[in-house]
Amino acid sequence: MVIVVFDADREWYIQGRVYANIIESVPAGMLQDDDLELHMWPARAMGLLRLPGMERDRAERIAAALTDGAARRLRTIDQSDTELVTFYEGLREIAARHA
């Protein structure tokens, strides 16, 4: 499980496998560092990725990458699984919402 805190009103509570799927779906070159990979192993147990305490540009890059990763993952899942589709749509909306 990983908790991704975007700001005071936006959080994801997701399983480590969901987090890994989103990370795998982030477009190549979107991030120049390994910020998301650093949280891969903690996500398999219990992790916290807290964006508000980071440098603003870095936090915005990570939020954009997670938003895009969730959107790309949404396009690859079985669209007849309405619960899963709704789940990923919710993740995308939460990550994309501007504070």
Side-chain angles (χ1 to χ4, degrees):
M1 168 77 67
V2 66
I3 302 167
V4 180
V5 179
F6 292 94
D7 61 32
D9 300 318
R10 301 181 303 143
E11 296 178 351
W12 283 357
Y13 289 78
I14 56 176
Q15 294 176 343
R17 183 71 233 155
V18 171
Y19 181 76
N21 289 339
I22 290 171
I23 300 313
E24 291 169 6
S25 299
V26 171
M30 190 164 191
L31 293 174
Q32 289 77 35
D33 50 39
D34 60 355
D35 285 325
L36 298 177
E37 291 290 336
L38 290 174
H39 295 274
M40 188 68 77
W41 286 109
R44 297 194 195 296
M46 180 64 170
L48 175 66
L49 173 53
R50 188 168 170 71
L51 303 184
M54 294 181 181
E55 174 186 311
R56 184 179 174 99
D57 288 346
R58 182 179 182 200
E60 287 175 358
R61 282 193 320 271
I62 291 171
L66 290 172
T67 301
D68 205 47
R72 290 168 64 101
R73 185 67 184 163
L74 179 59
R75 291 192 296 268
T76 66
I77 62 174
D78 179 1
Q79 297 300 301
S80 67
D81 186 343
T82 56
E83 279 189 34
L84 192 56
V85 168
T86 300
F87 174 74
Y88 273 100
E89 286 174 344
L91 291 179
R92 184 187 60 201
E93 288 176 24
I94 289 168
R97 198 176 337 135
H98 295 287

